[in-house]
Amino acid sequence: MITNKPTVFSGIQPSGILHVGNYLGALTQWVDLQDQSDCIFCVVDYHAITVRQEPAKLGRQILDTVKIYLASGINPAKSVIFQQSDISAHTELAWILNCIARIADLNKMTQFKEKGASKESVSVGLYDYPVLMAADILLYQTDIVPVGEDQVQHVELARTLAQRFNRDYGQVFKIPQAVIKKQGARIMGLDDPAKKMSKSASSPNNYIALTDAPEAAAKKIMRAVTDSGSEIIYEPKKKPAISNLLVTFSLLNGINIHELETRYRNKGYGEFKKDLAQEVKAFLIEFQLKYNSFSDDEVKRILQDGAAKILPVAEQTLKKVKNKLGILILSS
Ligand code: ATP
Ligand code: LTN
């Protein structure tokens, strides 16, 4: 597993719905990195249970998340795919990093402030989840963490914890680097271009799920909010809704945004949205054909193989950490 190539690590929560934002912001970047790097892609099930998941559905969601990875083009012959809970070193290292992290570090996390802080009943896990994410990343001596923009602050925390540990106990961890896409790192909600597309949005009209019926997804595009005026131009500040649709169009079919602006000069929002709806529909039909071609047994085997391949790396890092802390390791 360990080669001269940089190590890439990333993960997605198996919390039910994955949308076009996850695909354009994260998954396409993972696929691009596969050939030049040693890639490890995790299904972060222990992150998903920071909010309640239905026990009867979670197993299904885990397998379906892997199918999304595969349909996006992650190739298990090139990249390791595994389930976070299969390797207990993640939660062990998270505990140790909890003793390195400060309350003040976590109080800075804007995602928690947005998602949790105002709610009446919030799990300690949701507050602490950036520390588990740091453990995920640091266990594998990761160089690069490809994510959407919303996760950059969490990768910064992983860097801070790694530097603090190395300084206080001696060199163990590599310092990872977040990478985000130039375009697509923050796909906005179709019903509210001021906020990112999110599965936790109150309306399903906010997002195009990768498993939406293609015809229904096309309708969501036709219903997407637009800006005042009628020009199809990329100006995220003045025209956030149209700019977001232009980015989505461009990333789905590979035509750059300037060309799209030229193509739709003097044409109205209606015609532009109709064409984008067709793009989205065609994309989903092809994507879902691949998604439905994988069997559960195939996916389970991929996860088992992935965990077996990666376990020695995780154990080695954890052992180094325990040694530095002075913890006796007597049983293995
Ligand atoms: P949500 O807000 O939908 O609950 P999340 O960020 O909490 O999403 P995941 O589904 O695990 O949780 O995110 C997986 C990856 O997709 C991450 O790298 C994240 O940064 C990226 N991502 C999520 N939403 C978007 C978006 N709207 N645009 C671009 N990337 C996104
Ligand atoms: N917290 C991330 C998912 C995640 C992750 C990671 C991403 C968990 N561990 C390690 C990159 C690297 C999220 O909610 N999107």
Tab-separated table of all heavy atoms in Angstrom, residues 18 60 102 120 133 154 163 170 210 228 235 247 272 292:
chain	number	residue	atom	x	y	z
A	18	LEU	N	-27.527	11.165	-1.108
A	18	LEU	CA	-26.370	11.871	-1.671
A	18	LEU	C	-26.868	12.648	-2.877
A	18	LEU	O	-27.697	12.168	-3.645
A	18	LEU	CB	-25.277	10.891	-2.072
A	18	LEU	CG	-24.539	10.260	-0.897
A	18	LEU	CD1	-23.471	9.303	-1.370
A	18	LEU	CD2	-23.898	11.327	-0.029
A	60	ARG	N	-28.460	-0.778	4.785
A	60	ARG	CA	-28.800	-0.514	3.374
A	60	ARG	C	-28.079	0.760	2.897
A	60	ARG	O	-27.513	0.817	1.810
A	60	ARG	CB	-30.323	-0.375	3.298
A	60	ARG	CG	-30.991	-0.039	2.021
A	60	ARG	CD	-31.108	-1.212	1.054
A	60	ARG	NE	-30.000	-1.214	0.128
A	60	ARG	CZ	-29.378	-2.291	-0.311
A	60	ARG	NH1	-29.736	-3.486	0.069
A	60	ARG	NH2	-28.376	-2.191	-1.140
A	102	ARG	N	-8.913	21.054	22.277
A	102	ARG	CA	-9.450	21.922	23.342
A	102	ARG	C	-10.907	22.254	23.014
A	102	ARG	O	-11.277	22.331	21.836
A	102	ARG	CB	-8.688	23.243	23.373
A	102	ARG	CG	-7.187	23.083	23.225
A	102	ARG	CD	-6.481	23.333	24.527
A	102	ARG	NE	-5.060	23.546	24.285
A	102	ARG	CZ	-4.159	22.594	24.229
A	102	ARG	NH1	-4.516	21.320	24.351
A	102	ARG	NH2	-2.885	22.874	24.024
A	120	GLU	N	-32.432	21.888	20.470
A	120	GLU	CA	-32.627	21.592	21.883
A	120	GLU	C	-31.849	20.336	22.303
A	120	GLU	O	-31.200	20.309	23.331
A	120	GLU	CB	-34.106	21.373	22.140
A	120	GLU	CG	-34.550	21.921	23.476
A	120	GLU	CD	-36.051	21.889	23.552
A	120	GLU	OE1	-36.574	20.831	23.893
A	120	GLU	OE2	-36.672	22.936	23.236
A	133	MET	N	-13.143	12.900	12.656
A	133	MET	CA	-12.701	13.126	11.267
A	133	MET	C	-11.179	13.311	11.219
A	133	MET	O	-10.507	12.801	10.311
A	133	MET	CB	-13.427	14.360	10.701
A	133	MET	CG	-13.012	14.738	9.311
A	133	MET	SD	-14.218	15.888	8.588
A	133	MET	CE	-13.222	16.558	7.253
A	154	HIS	N	-12.741	21.695	9.043
A	154	HIS	CA	-12.497	20.456	9.793
A	154	HIS	C	-11.107	19.889	9.478
A	154	HIS	O	-10.446	19.320	10.356
A	154	HIS	CB	-13.582	19.420	9.476
A	154	HIS	CG	-14.954	19.827	9.929
A	154	HIS	ND1	-16.101	19.342	9.377
A	154	HIS	CD2	-15.342	20.696	10.891
A	154	HIS	CE1	-17.153	19.878	9.990
A	154	HIS	NE2	-16.712	20.708	10.901
A	163	GLN	N	-0.193	18.808	14.476
A	163	GLN	CA	0.970	19.637	14.843
A	163	GLN	C	1.163	19.672	16.354
A	163	GLN	O	2.277	19.571	16.860
A	163	GLN	CB	0.793	21.070	14.307
A	163	GLN	CG	1.127	21.163	12.820
A	163	GLN	CD	0.479	22.357	12.125
A	163	GLN	OE1	-0.433	22.987	12.661
A	163	GLN	NE2	0.937	22.660	10.923
A	170	GLY	N	6.289	14.189	20.168
A	170	GLY	CA	7.253	13.680	19.184
A	170	GLY	C	6.556	13.358	17.868
A	170	GLY	O	5.352	13.094	17.837
A	210	LEU	N	-28.893	11.836	-6.174
A	210	LEU	CA	-28.344	10.999	-7.255
A	210	LEU	C	-29.280	9.834	-7.571
A	210	LEU	O	-29.160	9.214	-8.625
A	210	LEU	CB	-26.942	10.501	-6.873
A	210	LEU	CG	-25.903	11.627	-6.795
A	210	LEU	CD1	-24.629	11.164	-6.093
A	210	LEU	CD2	-25.565	12.170	-8.180
A	228	SER	N	-33.347	38.190	-10.430
A	228	SER	CA	-34.050	39.206	-11.223
A	228	SER	C	-33.282	39.440	-12.521
A	228	SER	O	-32.119	39.051	-12.641
A	228	SER	CB	-34.179	40.491	-10.411
A	228	SER	OG	-32.900	40.881	-9.998
A	235	GLU	N	-22.201	35.608	-12.513
A	235	GLU	CA	-21.839	36.682	-11.565
A	235	GLU	C	-22.364	36.264	-10.198
A	235	GLU	O	-23.454	36.656	-9.790
A	235	GLU	CB	-22.504	37.999	-11.994
A	235	GLU	CG	-21.662	38.835	-12.917
A	235	GLU	CD	-22.299	40.199	-13.175
A	235	GLU	OE1	-22.932	40.761	-12.252
A	235	GLU	OE2	-22.152	40.676	-14.304
A	247	VAL	N	-22.739	26.749	-13.256
A	247	VAL	CA	-21.663	25.865	-12.760
A	247	VAL	C	-22.103	24.409	-12.893
A	247	VAL	O	-21.358	23.549	-13.375
A	247	VAL	CB	-21.311	26.194	-11.282
A	247	VAL	CG1	-20.415	25.126	-10.681
A	247	VAL	CG2	-20.640	27.558	-11.182
A	272	PHE	N	-32.871	28.095	-21.084
A	272	PHE	CA	-31.668	27.626	-20.397
A	272	PHE	C	-32.015	26.503	-19.414
A	272	PHE	O	-31.362	25.446	-19.376
A	272	PHE	CB	-31.020	28.818	-19.666
A	272	PHE	CG	-29.892	28.446	-18.753
A	272	PHE	CD1	-28.692	27.972	-19.258
A	272	PHE	CD2	-30.030	28.581	-17.369
A	272	PHE	CE1	-27.647	27.627	-18.400
A	272	PHE	CE2	-28.998	28.235	-16.510
A	272	PHE	CZ	-27.804	27.764	-17.030
A	292	ASN	N	-27.244	0.743	-10.372
A	292	ASN	CA	-28.071	-0.459	-10.195
A	292	ASN	C	-27.383	-1.737	-10.651
A	292	ASN	O	-27.916	-2.824	-10.479
A	292	ASN	CB	-29.396	-0.286	-10.951
A	292	ASN	CG	-30.281	0.737	-10.263
A	292	ASN	OD1	-30.364	0.773	-9.032
A	292	ASN	ND2	-30.913	1.611	-11.034
